[in-house]
Amino acid sequence: GESVGLHLPTLSVQEGDNSIINCAYSNSASDYFIWYKQESGKGPQFIIDIRSNMDKRQGQRVTVLLNKTVKHLSLQIAATQPGDSAVYFCAEGGGSYIPTFGRGTSLIVHP
Amino acid sequence: KAGVTQTPRYLIKTRGQQVTLSCSPISGHRSVSWYQQTPGQGLQFLFEYFSETQRNKGNFPGRFSGRQFSNSRSEMNVSTLELGDSALYLCASSLGGLAGSTDTQYFGPGTRLTVL
């Protein structure tokens, strides 16, 4: 199917490495942040979220870090696997029912 | 629970035709949002429906419309198709409850529309 990764920043890593995907958000009033993973030919899949009253939240092999001072969000994936290859989107929300999505980062994992 | 489902998965239409896409949200979710995704423009918000009412609207022409039924299922319609309407159309559902609060949205697999 048509790739959603065209024209996107790309991060290439080796299998087993840790990956860090960054996202700068725009609205200082945003209080809710979400990371999505989108594989080729599929819809975005929820990975992890974090509220603004937290700096860090951990899931299974993933950690989200929030730095409100510089309006920066990052997603860390431990021991990256080929199945992690996808486009990753951050989204910010707060004060509106609808989140604002970033452009996405394409993660390529080499075996 | 079953996830968000969208039908059809693939569509091929010609310029000038119209198309209707369907979305069934996760059971219990009352908000349904529609997005257009293209490589050049990324994920763009079309509109959101809650309790059969359009609650939010993106910046798309009037050729794009939608509706929501009492069971929260939603349809979107695109009339007078243009080549530039070729895209992946994504539906997302959420609980949609608290005012001034953003809910987690859960996406369907999308409908791939090709306009020839």
Side-chain angles (χ1 to χ4, degrees):
Chain A
E2 187 176 9
S3 170
V4 297
L6 297 175
H7 316 301
L8 295 176
T10 299
L11 175 65
S12 291
V13 300
Q14 290 296 128
E15 181 178 2
D17 287 351
N18 295 332
S19 302
I20 300 176
I21 300 170
N22 297 303
C23 178
Y25 63 93
S26 56
N27 188 351
S28 56
S30 293
D31 61 2
Y32 180 53
F33 304 89
I34 315 153
W35 280 100
Y36 288 91
K37 170 188 179 184
Q38 186 174 23
E39 297 174 89
S40 183
K42 298 183 179 180
Q45 175 189 359
F46 171 85
I47 302 174
I48 191 168
D49 59 2
I50 188 168
R51 296 276 174 189
S52 60
N53 60 352
M54 302 173 70
D55 296 324
K56 178 180 180 179
R57 190 170 187 209
Q58 289 184 290
Q60 187 176 11
R61 281 200 309 118
V62 295
T63 301
V64 55
L65 298 178
L66 175 62
N67 185 329
K68 296 180 285 294
T69 302
V70 295
K71 294 191 287 187
H72 184 267
L73 193 66
S74 68
L75 178 71
Q76 300 179 359
I77 305 174
T80 315
Q81 303 167 359
D84 295 327
S85 293
V87 174
Y88 290 81
F89 294 95
C90 66
E92 59 180 296
S96 167
Y97 297 106
I98 306 301
T100 301
F101 287 86
R103 291 297 306 273
T105 297
S106 179
L107 175 66
I108 299 172
V109 182
H110 301 281
Chain B
K1 282 185 180 178
V4 178
T5 58
Q6 291 186 246
T7 56
R9 292 294 312 278
Y10 302 92
L11 266 178
I12 299 176
K13 294 286 188 178
T14 56
R15 280 179 298 174
Q17 287 187 308
Q18 73 165 12
V19 67
T20 299
L21 312 181
S22 181
C23 172
S24 292
I26 292 171
S27 177
H29 284 191
R30 297 170 64 191
S31 168
V32 174
S33 297
W34 289 90
Y35 294 84
Q36 181 194 67
Q37 188 176 43
T38 60
Q41 297 298 321
L43 203 62
Q44 292 190 288
F45 172 70
L46 281 154
F47 30 65
E48 183 232 2
Y49 286 86
F50 179 80
S51 292
E52 302 178 64
T53 300
Q54 188 180 88
R55 187 165 63 174
N56 288 280
K57 187 179 188 303
N59 189 26
F60 275 81
R63 300 186 297 109
F64 293 81
S65 63
R67 60 177 175 168
Q68 187 180 34
F69 302 96
S70 58
N71 62 357
S72 294
R73 192 177 67 83
S74 177
E75 290 181 346
M76 69 161 282
N77 183 276
V78 188
S79 62
T80 320
L81 284 166
E82 300 176 0
L83 294 178
D85 296 334
S86 293
L88 181 68
Y89 288 89
L90 291 160
C91 164
S93 78
S94 67
L95 290 169
L98 295 176
S101 173
T102 305
D103 280 331
T104 304
Q105 295 193 325
Y106 296 90
F107 285 84
T111 295
R112 172 72 62 189
L113 173 63
T114 302
V115 182
L116 303 176

